[in-house]
Amino acid sequence: MTSRTIAIGDIHGCAQALAALIDAIAPTKDDVIVPLGDYVDRGPDSSGVVDLLINLVERCQVVPLLGNHEAMLFDSHESPDCFEFW
């Protein structure tokens, strides 16, 4: 089987949708999944999204990129002023 590179963007806390997508993709160890950031915020289960992505490394190669929502999360952790903006 040939390896695939699959990009997934704008997950925004939708763990259930991400799980369904991963099931549909059925990645193998040769596949590379590139989540394009924006894992957190807006949706109901940002923590579940992060857990799914962490566990995905057991099934395939994962190259996670940070989006602006992760940048805002990290910034708000460092500065209360940024937290108000986020």
Side-chain angles (χ1 to χ4, degrees):
M1 185 167 149
T2 346
S3 66
R4 302 172 294 173
T5 299
I6 302 161
I8 303 172
D10 294 305
I11 300 165
H12 285 294
C14 295
Q16 202 170 23
L18 177 61
L21 181 60
I22 291 168
D23 285 345
I25 292 168
T28 68
K29 64 179 180 69
D30 295 324
D31 292 330
V32 178
I33 294 185
V34 184
L36 299 174
D38 292 348
Y39 316 126
V40 302
D41 208 6
R42 298 188 181 160
D45 192 8
S46 294
S47 175
V49 167
V50 173
D51 288 341
L52 281 167
L53 293 174
I54 288 170
N55 292 325
L56 190 57
V57 301
E58 296 172 8
R59 296 176 65 181
C60 63
Q61 300 170 61
V62 180
V63 181
L65 304 177
L66 292 182
N68 63 315
H69 288 261
E70 287 77 37
M72 288 187 294
L73 173 67
F74 291 135
D75 289 346
S76 69
H77 179 71
E78 298 295 320
S79 168
D81 293 335
C82 292
F83 185 77
E84 274 185 44
F85 173 73
W86 183 46

